[in-house]
Every structure is written in C-alpha cells, then in structure tokens.
Amino acid sequence: MTNDRGKAALERLRKIKPFIQASLSLTKKRCGNPRCRCAQKGLLHEVALLTWKEDNRTHTLYVPMELRQEVERWVQEGKLLKRLVAEVSQAQREFLTSKKRSRKSKNV
Ligand SMILES: [Zn+2]
C-alpha cells in the first residue's frame, strides 16, 4: 500500500547498486620513507580516504587509487539510497494523511 510518489521511489530502490554510507576525501601525505620523493622534493602522495561515523566515532579506511572511482560510485549510491528511504517514508505519511482525510469526508 502506497501512493504514486511511493511507487516511483520503490521502483528506483529496486535498482539500487552496491552502496556505502560514508564520504570519500582526497588528501596528500608523506609515506614515511626518508628516501622517497615526498620527503626529499616535497612531492606528496595523493591518498584517498573513506570516513564514516559508527558508535559516535569517526572511522577511516584507506582506499587504493585504482578503486577510487568505484568507491565514489558507492558513496553516490549511498546518498541516493538515503534520499529514497526518506522519500518512501514521506510517501507513506502522505498515504496515511490522505486516508484520514477521505475517511473524515465519508463520515460527514
Ligand atoms: Zn613517499
């Protein structure tokens, strides 16, 4: 039981791809090797980090460069999922509100 708004959101939910609820950020770091170009010439390494909150703590996970774009897609899909969950919840509230209204009008 839902309305058109809920049906549209559920339809999109069925096509959801792998997702992750976290954010991806790029930063530059020294690797720690004193003979590396990062220490000698100041050419820092680009590092991709995934961060998320769990039990009120921020967690971080290193993302290999070759997986950067793939993980970015998971993050985008995670945001879409969050919007769709809110969308279906809103649709169900509207559905209940419309039932209440139509019942009232029938009783009058
Ligand atoms: Zn280095």
Side-chain angles (χ1 to χ4, degrees):
M1 268 196 233
T2 188
N3 56 19
D4 286 348
R5 187 179 183 175
K7 274 179 205 154
L10 283 168
E11 192 54 40
R12 185 57 190 84
L13 264 171
R14 281 188 200 100
K15 293 174 193 157
I16 210 86
K17 294 190 183 91
F19 59 84
I20 194 160
Q21 290 186 317
S23 58
L24 191 64
S25 63
L26 295 178
T27 183
K28 287 187 175 187
K29 277 193 168 179
R30 285 180 214 281
C31 63
N33 178 354
R35 280 180 294 178
C36 179
R37 62 187 174 100
C38 66
Q40 297 189 341
K41 293 181 185 170
L43 296 166
L44 302 183
H45 301 274
E46 219 180 33
V47 179
L49 294 173
L50 192 70
T51 57
W52 71 99
K53 277 207 169 187
E54 206 180 300
D55 306 324
N56 276 325
R57 279 170 52 219
T58 302
H59 298 255
T60 303
L61 193 63
Y62 165 79
V63 178
M65 275 301 155
E66 67 270 23
L67 287 178
R68 225 166 79 180
Q69 286 190 320
E70 174 68 17
V71 174
E72 181 56 39
R73 281 193 286 272
W74 301 349
V75 171
Q76 291 308 319
E77 204 69 2
K79 285 178 186 166
L80 175 65
L81 177 68
K82 199 179 169 187
R83 281 201 302 275
L84 290 171
V85 167
E87 183 72 9
V88 175
S89 298
Q90 180 63 34
Q92 300 316 96
R93 286 192 295 266
E94 284 175 2
F95 178 81
L96 284 175
T97 308
S98 67
K99 285 288 168 211
K100 205 168 105 187
R101 244 184 249 132
S102 60
R103 187 173 294 168
K104 250 182 211 165
S105 58
K106 267 176 216 161
N107 288 346
V108 168

